[in-house]
């Protein structure tokens, strides 16, 4: 079975604080992809990152960074120096297995950044 | 590139009517499209996988007679909610896979969503 767990339902921080969003996944497949999406109040999903199971390198993009650890089946997302515009719901997702490679989404973490 | 549109962006209808939602890939061909449903403050739940020229594959618990999916071309898939009721009110999101990337990246490009309200 494939599953994505985002244990943090809501996080509230003050602007300029660093915040880490946790994501734990389960799959028996050796080849899989992990994603992070941002969903602002408008509802449209914004793609943030894709990582395949063979690439464990951490990635940094501006204020965003991702820590992929296969040993703990985690793919955590850190926002450095958070800003009010970062307020949104963030989803971690997994794509694995054959067929049409559907995406399994976590429950999402609602991030509120206050001025 | 990789733009997916949905029409309409929102719709309000009376109970018992049918509503059609269109999902179009604007600058690429999509052999596979996906339909998701999202209730307020909830996650996206896959409803069905749609492949061009064949019948859609529905997820367990999704009524295929209620949610009719047609993928008539490589750039268009439609979701028709038949005899809609208030409990069908939700945010419906489609996504599409670029056929050129199939098997290379499992990335889906998402549409902006359609908010359905059934009175």
């Amino acid at each position: 079975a494939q599953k994505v767990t985002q244990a943090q339902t809501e996080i509230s921080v003050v602007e300029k604080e660093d915040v880490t969003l946790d994501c734990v996944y389960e799959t028996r497949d050796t080849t899989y992809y992990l994603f992070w999406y941002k969903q602002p109040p408008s509802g449209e999903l914004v793609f943030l990152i894709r990582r395949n199971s063979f690439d464990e390198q951490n990635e940094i993009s501006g204020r965003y960074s991702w820590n992929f650890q296969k040993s703990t089946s985690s793919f955590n997302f850190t926002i450095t120096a958070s800003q009010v515009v970062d307020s949104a719901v963030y989803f971690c997702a997994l794509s694995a297995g054959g067929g049409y490679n559907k995406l399994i989404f976590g429950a999402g973490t609602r991030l509120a950044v206050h001025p | 590139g990789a733009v997916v549109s949905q029409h309409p962006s929102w719709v309000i209808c009376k109970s018992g009517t049918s509503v059609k939602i269109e999902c179009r890939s604007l600058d690429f061909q999509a052999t596979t499209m996906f339909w998701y449903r999202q209730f307020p403050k909830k996650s996206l739940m896959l409803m069905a996988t749609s492949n061009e020229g064949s019948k859609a594959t529905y997820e367990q618990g999704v009524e295929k007679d209620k949610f009719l999916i047609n993928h008539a071309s490589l750039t268009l898939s439609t979701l028709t909610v038949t005899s809609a009721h208030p409990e069908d009110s939700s945010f419906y999101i489609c996504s599409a896979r670029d056929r050129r990337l199939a098997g290379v990246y499992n990335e889906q490009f998402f549409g902006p969503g359609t908010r359905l309200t059934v009175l």
Side-chain angles (χ1 to χ4, degrees):
Chain A
Q2 291 153 15
K3 185 179 178 182
V4 177
T5 301
Q6 293 180 257
Q8 304 151 307
T9 305
E10 294 188 25
I11 299 176
S12 181
V13 299
V14 177
E15 219 172 7
K16 296 185 183 178
E17 283 186 34
D18 298 347
V19 58
T20 295
L21 283 60
D22 298 332
C23 174
V24 175
Y25 63 92
E26 295 177 30
T27 180
R28 293 181 179 178
D29 292 286
T30 55
T31 301
Y32 52 89
Y33 293 85
L34 295 164
F35 301 82
W36 275 95
Y37 292 91
K38 175 182 180 180
Q39 188 177 42
S42 64
E44 185 164 0
L45 281 177
V46 177
F47 168 78
L48 296 178
I49 191 172
R50 172 190 62 246
R51 173 67 76 228
N52 74 54
S53 52
F54 299 107
D55 183 2
E56 285 193 74
Q57 281 192 347
N58 293 329
E59 182 157 339
I60 299 174
S61 177
R63 296 184 297 108
Y64 295 169
S65 63
W66 291 269
N67 185 340
F68 177 28
Q69 293 195 344
K70 289 179 74 172
S71 60
T72 56
S73 297
S74 65
F75 187 41
N76 296 337
F77 172 34
T78 297
I79 302 175
T80 303
S82 60
Q83 300 176 2
V84 173
V85 293
D86 295 327
S87 298
V89 180
Y90 291 86
F91 291 99
C92 180
L94 167 70
S95 177
Y100 300 107
N101 305 116
K102 58 187 181 184
L103 275 173
I104 306 298
F105 283 86
T109 297
R110 184 174 298 275
L111 174 64
V113 182
H114 303 283
Chain B
V3 178
V4 176
S5 69
Q6 278 185 244
H7 178 79
S9 55
W10 60 270
V11 56
I12 301 173
C13 68
K14 292 182 178 180
S15 186
T17 61
S18 293
V19 175
K20 179 185 284 188
I21 301 170
E22 292 186 348
C23 176
R24 292 182 185 273
S25 56
L26 299 184
D27 51 1
F28 64 97
Q29 292 183 328
T31 49
T32 304
M33 289 184 171
F34 302 85
W35 286 95
Y36 296 85
R37 182 175 184 178
Q38 186 181 29
F39 289 109
K41 296 191 177 184
K42 296 294 183 182
S43 187
L44 282 77
M45 298 300 295
L46 180 65
M47 300 175 65
T49 302
S50 166
N51 291 288
E52 186 265 338
S54 62
K55 291 184 179 180
T57 302
Y58 290 82
E59 295 298 301
Q60 192 173 6
V62 177
E63 300 176 59
K64 55 184 177 183
D65 294 332
K66 181 164 188 63
F67 298 100
L68 301 179
I69 292 172
N70 184 288
H71 193 158
S73 76
L74 287 172
T75 59
L76 173 64
S77 176
T78 59
L79 167 67
T80 301
V81 184
T82 61
S83 186
H85 292 283
E87 57 266 28
D88 298 323
S89 298
S90 190
F91 192 53
Y92 292 88
I93 305 173
C94 74
S95 69
R97 290 183 62 196
D98 188 333
R99 68 183 305 190
R100 296 168 300 177
L101 301 178
V104 178
Y105 302 116
N106 290 0
E107 185 169 353
Q108 299 175 21
F109 301 100
F110 285 84
T114 296
R115 194 166 301 281
L116 170 64
T117 302
V118 185
L119 303 175

